[in-house]
Amino acid sequence: MAGGGVAALGVKKERAAQYKGRMTWYVGMTCLVACVGGAIFGYDIGISGGVTSMDPFLKEFFPVVYRRKNSGGQNNYCKYDNQGLAAFTSSLYLAGLVSTLGASPVTRNYGRRASIVCGGVSFLIGAALNAAARNLPMLILGRIMLGVGIGFGNQAVPLYLSEMAPAHLRGGLNMLFQLATTLGIFTANLINYGTQNIKPWGWRLSLGLAAVPALLMTVGGLLLPETPNSLIERGRVEEGRRVLERIRGTADVDAEFTDMVEASELANTIEHPFRNILERRNRPQLVMAVCMPAFQILTGINSILFYAPVLFQSMGFGSDASLYSSVLTGAVLFGSTLISIATVDRLGRRKLLVSGGVQMIVCQAIVAVILGVKFGTDKQLSRSFSIAVVVVICLFVLAFGWSWGPLGWTVPSEIFPLETRSAGQSITVAVNLLFTFAVAQAFLALLCAFKFGIFLFFAGWITVMTVFVAVFLPETKGVPIEEMVLLWRKHWFWKKVMPELPIEDGWGADAAATANNSHK
């Protein structure tokens, strides 16, 4: 490692006030194309729940579940409890977990675009295998290839968005990934609602249509410009400056360019970013990279999104009604993400996370009470209470959509210094996919065992994560991504954890003085 200020911080001082530039059409278009990766992620989340509730699909691949679903006297909470069916959903996320670790060196050494293209190609292969599946191994293999695409896409796209966006608009632009994800979920629910009536091959159409956004992602990845951060990190400094000038709409980019060059100097001294990320000076970012995605999944949102039709059918909704309800929740999620995009760079990350957490706790508790009092193993909800459950679940999804949904990705993608950024994003995605896999695999069994208590289980975790954010997360609103490393030294807790700054070349004393100012 190099010595002095560069090794300690990556950037020598704060230059945010000197940053020039504006939101350009160039940035807008490249971010929109990149966000197709989020749409595929959302589509794969939303499509599986609807497909697994379709009788032709169950009859062909999971006949035991099909017979149990259509037999009388079966415990309502346990109709879909089948580990093979859960594996159909969860295998995608286990594959994503493994592949995202391999995506990190690709993203760092060959650029963000390379990982986006790899993800698109994997999605295409997975969609083709699923649509043509003749047996369960072929079906699972298709899901695994989709998981590889998710591992690469989710690793590269949030980084791409964070690095392309101007600092003062980074939160909103980064959330385009989550917005695209929610749009993908909503689209999947609409498609499932339509294809359920195309028997017996409607489910093949649902799974195969994932190829459309996959093709857009692949072509878009080939046409996208590389981020200036990645170009500079890989030694293409002049090209990096030209791209920076183009995306900022001005030639006056000296301050931001200097920050990128200083950050890249440190990045290029790091041979093992995964080992480097364990160092004490990176401890706050590592904690957030693990906790934020874990908590995002422990809200229970993915259980609702994966298994919305199954969940609503378990509560006594008919097939049409359950798919209609899942379309409604998908629409609410998409709309609420727009709220977050409009407010995140004005209100900040912390306020949205805490307020969303409180609303989700209340909603989970209300659903648990309604199901505990009015619903049982052998009785159905009345029409009025069914409507009440859907309304409260929509309010839960609304709160998630403006808080932990987008910010669970945004915060980790913007807090790492350049030398550990790809490794940090890999950890974030890996943790997200690990918890997603665990919840997806276990949810049907937990629903059968806990019954209405499953909602109280998730409410407890939301309480923990809301307190965690209030105590340990500093506000990242408006902080340039290359100067984010300085933020932790201003936080009441993390400044005690991080090592002392070296006083060298005159800059260390100024940085230390700045760090002594309290900052939540």
Side-chain angles (χ1 to χ4, degrees):
M1 289 180 59
V6 171
L9 286 173
V11 293
K12 298 183 179 180
K13 64 180 181 179
E14 296 181 351
R15 300 185 180 90
Q18 303 172 39
Y19 278 26
K20 304 295 182 182
R22 53 186 171 81
M23 177 63 191
T24 61
W25 280 105
Y26 197 87
V27 171
M29 293 305 297
T30 55
C31 288
L32 285 174
V33 172
C35 279
V36 174
I40 305 178
F41 183 40
Y43 188 87
D44 289 322
I45 289 175
I47 210 70
S48 59
V51 166
T52 53
S53 70
M54 295 181 186
D55 283 350
F57 176 82
L58 292 174
K59 190 174 182 179
E60 182 164 350
F61 294 102
F62 303 98
V64 173
V65 179
Y66 172 75
R67 290 191 296 269
R68 187 190 303 159
K69 173 188 174 183
N70 292 284
S71 65
Q74 177 67 42
N75 186 324
N76 285 322
Y77 285 108
C78 301
K79 287 182 178 180
Y80 291 88
D81 183 16
N82 180 276
Q83 289 301 295
L85 183 61
F88 165 72
T89 298
S90 64
S91 58
L92 181 148
Y93 305 99
L94 184 61
L97 166 63
V98 175
S99 66
T100 192
L101 299 177
S104 176
V106 174
T107 303
R108 187 182 189 203
N109 297 325
Y110 299 100
R112 286 45 167 158
R113 292 172 61 237
S115 284
I116 291 174
V117 171
C118 287
V121 172
S122 298
F123 278 125
L124 281 170
I125 296 172
L129 286 171
N130 274 174
R134 295 297 176 185
N135 49 54
L136 187 57
M138 188 174 179
L139 189 71
I140 298 296
L141 179 60
R143 293 290 286 179
I144 289 173
M145 290 306 301
L146 291 173
V148 172
I150 283 178
F152 275 86
N154 286 18
Q155 209 276 342
V157 172
L159 280 186
Y160 185 89
L161 293 172
S162 287
E163 293 179 347
M164 292 293 281
H168 66 288
L169 296 174
R170 189 181 59 248
L173 289 178
N174 196 293
M175 283 185 182
L176 288 175
F177 179 77
Q178 177 66 15
L179 181 66
T181 300
T182 61
L183 181 59
I185 293 170
F186 179 52
T187 302
N189 290 332
L190 285 175
I191 288 173
N192 280 334
Y193 187 70
T195 59
Q196 66 169 326
N197 297 316
I198 305 175
K199 298 179 180 179
W201 55 271
W203 61 269
R204 293 187 184 275
L205 181 59
S206 288
L207 295 175
L209 284 174
V212 176
L215 182 61
L216 293 175
M217 180 176 173
T218 305
V219 174
L222 293 171
L223 299 178
L224 286 172
E226 188 56 83
T227 70
N229 311 66
S230 178
L231 290 169
I232 294 170
E233 182 183 16
R234 290 182 287 134
R236 295 155 65 179
V237 179
E238 291 305 316
E239 184 180 352
R241 175 159 188 135
R242 288 195 299 271
V243 172
L244 182 61
E245 292 176 356
R246 199 181 314 153
I247 64 177
R248 297 293 179 257
T250 177
D252 187 7
V253 294
D254 290 342
E256 188 171 4
F257 179 72
T258 300
D259 273 354
M260 290 181 181
V261 170
E262 289 183 359
S264 71
E265 289 174 2
L266 173 59
N268 289 328
T269 68
I270 307 300
E271 296 181 2
H272 305 288
F274 280 101
R275 185 187 305 167
N276 181 264
I277 208 172
L278 298 176
E279 293 183 5
R280 186 178 166 191
R281 64 190 179 89
N282 291 319
R283 194 69 44 78
Q285 298 97 314
L286 179 60
V287 170
M288 294 299 162
V290 172
C291 290
M292 293 295 289
F295 285 146
Q296 184 192 55
I297 303 307
L298 289 172
T299 60
I301 186 66
N302 279 24
S303 301
I304 292 174
L305 298 179
F306 292 156
Y307 298 115
V310 169
L311 187 62
F312 286 127
Q313 283 193 25
S314 297
M315 294 176 187
F317 291 67
S319 179
D320 286 350
S322 66
L323 282 171
Y324 180 78
S325 298
S326 66
V327 169
L328 180 60
T329 57
V332 170
L333 182 61
F334 176 74
S336 62
T337 307
L338 294 174
I339 297 174
S340 190
I341 290 175
T343 58
V344 64
D345 287 312
R346 182 165 50 88
L347 298 179
R349 282 64 160 160
R350 282 165 47 87
K351 288 182 180 178
L352 293 179
L353 288 168
V354 172
S355 62
V358 171
Q359 182 169 323
M360 285 190 287
I361 293 168
V362 173
C363 291
Q364 293 274 34
I366 291 174
V367 171
V369 169
I370 292 175
L371 295 183
V373 174
K374 297 294 182 179
F375 183 71
T377 58
D378 56 356
K379 60 182 180 181
Q380 308 296 325
L381 286 174
S382 67
R383 177 178 174 81
S384 59
F385 279 105
S386 296
I387 294 173
V389 167
V390 172
V391 169
V392 176
I393 286 180
C394 284
L395 290 174
F396 170 85
V397 171
L398 180 70
F400 177 85
W402 83 55
S403 59
W404 281 89
L407 291 172
W409 290 108
T410 299
V411 172
S413 72
E414 66 184 4
I415 60 175
F416 280 95
L418 183 61
E419 75 271 13
T420 57
R421 194 169 295 156
S422 60
Q425 185 65 15
S426 281
I427 291 172
T428 297
V429 176
V431 171
N432 181 283
L433 294 174
L434 174 63
F435 277 80
T436 301
F437 165 75
V439 170
Q441 187 66 36
F443 178 73
L444 294 176
L446 290 175
L447 180 63
C448 182
F450 287 0
K451 300 177 174 60
F452 66 88
I454 189 71
F455 294 95
L456 296 178
F457 171 78
F458 288 124
W461 280 110
I462 299 171
T463 302
V464 171
M465 65 199 233
T466 302
V467 173
F468 173 85
V469 164
V471 175
F472 295 112
L473 180 66
E475 182 54 66
T476 59
K477 177 184 70 173
V479 180
I481 192 169
E482 301 302 347
E483 295 181 8
M484 197 70 69
V485 67
L486 302 172
L487 181 66
W488 306 98
R489 297 186 181 277
K490 304 175 185 179
H491 187 270
W492 71 272
F493 176 79
W494 295 117
K495 68 181 180 182
K496 301 175 185 177
V497 174
M498 299 185 73
E500 294 293 325
L501 288 170
I503 308 300
E504 188 169 319
D505 296 331
W507 69 271
D510 294 337
T514 301
N516 288 329
N517 296 325
S518 62
H519 183 86
K520 288 187 176 182

